[in-house]
Amino acid sequence: MEIIDDELINFEAHGAAPLPVANNQAYVEHDAARIWYSTYGSGEPVILLHGGFGHGGNWGYQVPALVASGYQAILIDSRGHGRSTRDARPYTYELMASDVLAVMDALHLERPASVVGWSDGACIAMILAAKAPTRFAGIFFFGCNMDPSGLKPLEPNPTMHRCFSRHMQDYAALSPTPDEFNEFVDAVSLMEKTQPNYTQHDLAQISVPVSIVQSEHDEFIRHDHAEYLAGSIPNAELVLLNDVSHFAPLQRPQQFNTAMLSFLRKVLPQTR
């Protein structure tokens, strides 16, 4: 049965689908933080990077689809998000990208991984492609900007409020600092307003295969910015998701998963 939760009513009440039993779940100590990760299935590695204020469990509808298609799904709670800790330094996407590389080292990944990034996670993924291209087979870049001009003026709506409510509940349940949600939001929001600042020249240097994925009703990202990214990154493709918004992996996961798996089949060795 197709899952449709366009207004995120189910997500606010229950979260995403429960994750399957992990093959491995651990922390890596890196640069004054403990970074949580878990793995599922086997095969070519696919790293899933969640959006701002969220955590790895937000990928509950995507992990089973990846495992069923023969991939190893790797979840990471970004620095300061979910179960992961942070120090007193300001958030930067580059620092969080370095955490991903530390997890990859801890897992002894010998083959290039693909990354599915959502919002802030997509920005981290693109930075990884720029900084360590030999370690990545492809970047599925969903709902994100690479400079501040890509952001729309913020117009809160009930769907966004429901997502934020779920994030607040999950932070209280998972975080090592459960009473610091407001400070956490302020710190992440500052990063989002001022970073990243990639130029067109920077984008033109990216050599990893990239799919720029934009939702028809994205609340945060300008459509013309997605077109600009796809036109500025060599050989990047632009994929449009109809009838969904910035929360497509939760709203209509089958549609999102179809686009995700189509991209992975192009950039990774054939799976079952």
Side-chain angles (χ1 to χ4, degrees):
M1 183 178 67
E2 183 178 3
I3 296 165
I4 297 178
D5 188 23
D6 288 345
E7 298 179 0
L8 298 189
I9 293 171
N10 182 72
F11 179 66
E12 181 184 25
H14 306 292
L19 292 168
V21 176
N23 294 349
N24 180 33
Q25 187 172 180
Y27 291 86
V28 61
E29 304 280 345
H30 179 250
D31 202 354
R34 297 182 75 227
I35 307 300
W36 177 91
Y37 66 90
S38 60
T39 67
Y40 308 82
S42 60
E44 299 298 322
V46 179
I47 299 170
L48 298 160
L49 300 179
H50 62 80
F53 316 128
H55 63 96
N58 296 155
W59 294 109
Y61 296 114
Q62 282 67 52
V63 169
L66 289 167
V67 172
S69 296
Y71 298 106
Q72 179 189 37
I74 301 169
L75 298 184
I76 300 174
D77 281 355
S78 291
R79 175 176 292 251
H81 294 64
R83 305 159 189 82
S84 296
T85 68
R86 64 177 291 228
D87 61 3
R89 285 175 292 173
Y91 282 101
T92 71
Y93 291 113
E94 286 78 9
L95 183 55
M96 290 194 284
S98 73
D99 294 333
V100 174
L101 293 174
V103 171
M104 294 174 69
D105 290 342
L107 289 171
H108 305 291
L109 294 185
E110 297 178 355
R111 303 187 300 278
S114 284
V115 186
V116 177
W118 175 5
S119 196
D120 280 1
C123 181
I124 296 168
M126 196 76 85
I127 289 170
L128 289 166
K131 302 294 187 186
T134 61
R135 302 196 67 175
F136 298 97
I139 303 297
F140 189 84
F141 181 96
F142 171 65
C144 192
N145 59 301
M146 288 306 292
D147 68 68
S149 73
L151 294 173
K152 290 181 176 180
L154 188 60
E155 298 180 2
N157 63 36
T159 302
M160 293 164 61
H161 284 303
R162 292 187 189 101
C163 184
F164 192 76
S165 170
R166 182 75 252 169
H167 289 334
M168 183 165 54
Q169 296 174 65
D170 289 348
Y171 185 90
L174 298 175
S175 176
T177 56
D179 298 325
E180 297 180 10
F181 183 73
N182 290 336
E183 294 87 345
F184 160 69
V185 169
D186 288 345
V188 173
S189 297
L190 177 62
M191 175 184 69
E192 293 174 339
K193 292 173 184 174
T194 57
Q195 303 172 39
N197 289 285
Y198 268 44
T199 66
Q200 191 167 32
H201 175 77
D202 296 330
L203 296 170
Q205 308 311 306
I206 294 173
S207 59
V208 175
V210 174
S211 183
I212 303 295
V213 186
Q214 178 74 4
S215 290
E216 181 180 8
H217 305 300
D218 194 295
E219 295 92 342
F220 301 96
I221 307 302
R222 296 165 55 97
H223 180 85
D224 59 358
H225 186 73
E227 293 178 333
Y228 158 74
L229 294 177
S232 300
I233 298 168
N235 302 313
E237 65 176 1
L238 177 63
V239 175
L240 302 178
L241 301 181
N242 296 322
D243 303 319
V244 288
S245 77
H246 195 73
F247 311 105
L250 303 165
Q251 292 170 319
R252 303 197 182 194
Q254 284 87 341
Q255 180 187 12
F256 184 89
N257 293 353
T258 296
M260 174 183 70
L261 293 170
S262 176
F263 175 72
L264 293 174
R265 284 192 291 268
K266 296 175 187 176
V267 301
L268 290 175
Q270 187 63 46
T271 59
R272 66 175 180 267

